Amino acid sequence: MYIQHNWNFRSLVCGVNTKIPINSGEYVTAINFDNAATTPPFNYVLQEIVRFAPWYSSIHRGTGYKSQLSSSIYEASRKVVANFVNANLSSSTVIYVKNTTEAINKVARHLAGSPDDVIISSSMEHHSNDLPYRSKFKVEYISLDNKGRLDIKDLSNRLSKHKGRVKLVAITGASNVTGLINPVNSIAALCHKHNSKILVDGAQLIPHHPFDMSPKDPIEHIDFLVFSSHKMYAPFGIGVLVAPKEVFTNPSDQVGGGTVDLVTHDYVKWAELPNREEAGTPNLIGVVALTSAINMLSYVGLSKISAHELSLCEYAFNELNRIDGISLYGDTDIVDRVAIIPFNIDGIPHDITAKILSYEGGIAVRNGCFCAQPYIQKLLKISERDIEDRIKNPALPHPGVVRLSFGLYNTHNEVAYLIKLLKKIIKNKNYYYRLYKD
């Protein structure tokens, strides 16, 4: 059982006491339960950006002092990232991209070979860990159990069926819809026994839970890891791809400045890794923000962060379960998860619920399908017929849920305020529905 902690995480984060207007004309302290989309920045990260700004310069090949310093900071950052996730830089490389989506697309393009190659994804993935593979591979999807968790037996059967032809198993570390954490290291062992590699989409997991790419048992190592800084309390978004060096045998999918050592009209000598995969001027400020956020997350401790966020999650689950008229989705057990809760108010569409919470209480949530439509369809038990009807008639309302996603700076008092407002909304359901339906 998780208990309330008194760590002063709130002081670490910028903007947590910002006052915003609500429908009554009052100004209230904003409550952000939309951290799965983007987190506010750490104060420390902003301070480090400002501290570095006078030294900001071009990197690689510049001879000026500022350029040399900027280049050193940029290259040293890769070791900071590798240490944070325990990546082995003798066999892997750290590549900077715009975001997690670009990282996955890069992997898909480099792995593409025979059209008969198989990618196994799952029915709980963000679209970014599904769509990039579809035009290049045969894609299969791991089944889910009735709680929305992966059916590991189904994955094992699929790996056995294809007899070593599975190029990659692409799995989310934690679902952006339900928060459920997948047993990625044991899945990695299963993949490696079948001569396959594993990619973990760590966007929802890395800021909230300890992660180890190179555990003691080498068969459990993670081959590919992708994540984004904008979910890690760092602005100036940048994405990270940690990947085996052996994968990058062909020229990059994006070429140009920074990717070459020598060029004539008839010849190109490509740069060494990771430079040849980072075309153009890199996002140096984004790297400074990322490494500063990593330093702060490491200083606070991901185990402490996870314990605090899960205490909020357990408290919210307990209170929501006591309210008639609330539907919860997925496994509600406080085990193997990050602090995300999907729900709906019975009789009120998800978009209207989100609007009411914002306009009446200054509470930010997200609603919809969160770029994971097949998973939402499964959780809401939407039939194939319903989906076909929506394809034929785009004007039909989109299904979806309301998502609460907690960050380290959220408090039990904020959750209590949410619960109080939800009870008020349900008690006056018809009034609020009429008020906000248009």
Side-chain angles (χ1 to χ4, degrees), residues 97-119:
V97 289
K98 292 196 299 291
N99 46 46
T100 302
T101 300
E102 184 182 29
I104 295 171
N105 274 274
K106 184 180 283 289
V107 172
R109 286 190 289 266
H110 273 287
L111 290 183
S114 167
D116 292 328
D117 288 338
V118 177
I119 297 282

Side-chain angles (χ1 to χ4, degrees), residues 11-14 41-54 233 235-236 288-289 292-293 296:
S11 65
L12 303 177
V13 179
C14 180
F42 281 132
N43 289 315
Y44 172 73
V45 170
L46 297 178
Q47 291 162 7
E48 288 298 287
I49 290 169
V50 172
R51 189 175 72 86
F52 170 72
Y233 306 92
F236 302 99
V288 171
S292 301
M296 179 55 70

Side-chain angles (χ1 to χ4, degrees), residues 263-268:
V263 177
T264 72
H265 288 307
D266 304 307
Y267 173 78
V268 177

Side-chain angles (χ1 to χ4, degrees), residues 20-314:
I20 61 171
I22 59 175
N23 207 35
S24 66
E26 298 176 77
Y27 276 73
V28 299
T29 301
I31 296 175
N32 183 36
F33 291 150
D34 190 21
N35 295 283
T38 294
T39 53
F42 281 132
N43 289 315
Y44 172 73
V45 170
L46 297 178
Q47 291 162 7
E48 288 298 287
I49 290 169
V50 172
R51 189 175 72 86
F52 170 72
W55 306 97
Y56 174 77
S57 184
S58 62
I59 70 166
H60 299 156
R61 295 172 298 282
T63 58
Y65 180 85
K66 289 185 178 182
S67 181
Q68 292 293 306
L69 177 64
S70 293
S71 298
S72 175
I73 289 171
Y74 184 78
E75 291 304 330
S77 69
R78 302 187 203 273
K79 190 170 183 180
V80 174
V81 171
N83 289 341
F84 184 57
V85 297
N86 195 26
N88 182 355
L89 286 182
S90 64
S91 58
S92 296
T93 185
V94 173
I95 296 169
Y96 293 123
V97 289
K98 292 196 299 291
N99 46 46
T100 302
T101 300
E102 184 182 29
I104 295 171
N105 274 274
K106 184 180 283 289
V107 172
R109 286 190 289 266
H110 273 287
L111 290 183
S114 167
D116 292 328
D117 288 338
V118 177
I119 297 282
I120 297 180
S121 185
S122 87
S123 298
M124 70 192 303
E125 301 306 311
H126 190 285
H127 298 159
S128 294
N129 204 25
D130 172 6
L131 299 180
Y133 311 117
R134 291 191 183 184
S135 63
K136 301 172 181 66
F137 305 91
K138 292 181 178 178
V139 182
E140 295 187 3
Y141 301 96
I142 307 165
S143 300
L144 305 175
D145 65 19
N146 58 8
K147 291 186 175 181
R149 291 189 180 271
L150 288 185
D151 183 341
I152 304 300
K153 184 176 180 181
D154 181 60
L155 169 59
S156 180
N157 291 340
R158 291 177 188 275
L159 287 165
S160 298
K161 178 183 72 173
H162 289 295
K163 303 183 187 305
R165 289 188 298 108
V166 176
K167 206 81 178 259
L168 185 72
V169 174
I171 297 295
T172 186
S175 167
N176 73 319
V177 176
T178 57
L180 301 181
I181 293 177
N182 288 318
V184 293
N185 291 112
S186 60
I187 291 173
L190 184 59
C191 293
H192 295 141
K193 287 176 183 177
H194 289 84
N195 198 32
S196 177
K197 287 182 167 58
I198 181 172
L199 178 146
V200 174
D201 175 358
Q204 295 297 335
L205 184 62
I206 294 300
H208 305 286
H209 195 275
F211 190 83
D212 189 351
M213 288 191 73
S214 306
K216 290 182 179 179
D217 189 344
I219 199 172
E220 294 186 342
H221 79 271
I222 304 301
D223 299 291
F224 298 89
L225 174 65
V226 295
F227 58 93
S228 292
S229 68
H230 73 96
K231 300 181 191 295
M232 299 172 62
Y233 306 92
F236 302 99
I238 197 167
V240 176
L241 167 60
V242 185
K245 294 177 182 177
E246 66 187 41
V247 170
F248 303 98
T249 56
N250 296 320
S252 174
D253 51 294
Q254 292 184 327
V255 297
T259 65
V260 296
D261 283 340
L262 177 65
V263 177
T264 72
H265 288 307
D266 304 307
Y267 173 78
V268 177
K269 180 185 178 184
W270 300 106
E272 295 298 316
L273 286 172
N275 291 337
R276 73 166 177 260
E277 291 295 328
E278 296 178 349
T281 301
N283 180 3
L284 176 56
I285 292 292
V287 166
V288 171
L290 169 67
T291 54
S292 301
I294 286 173
N295 289 337
M296 179 55 70
L297 289 168
S298 300
Y299 173 75
V300 174
L302 283 163
S303 295
K304 287 183 180 179
I305 292 169
S306 176
H308 171 68
E309 292 175 352
L310 287 177
S311 72
L312 297 175
C313 194
E314 182 177 48

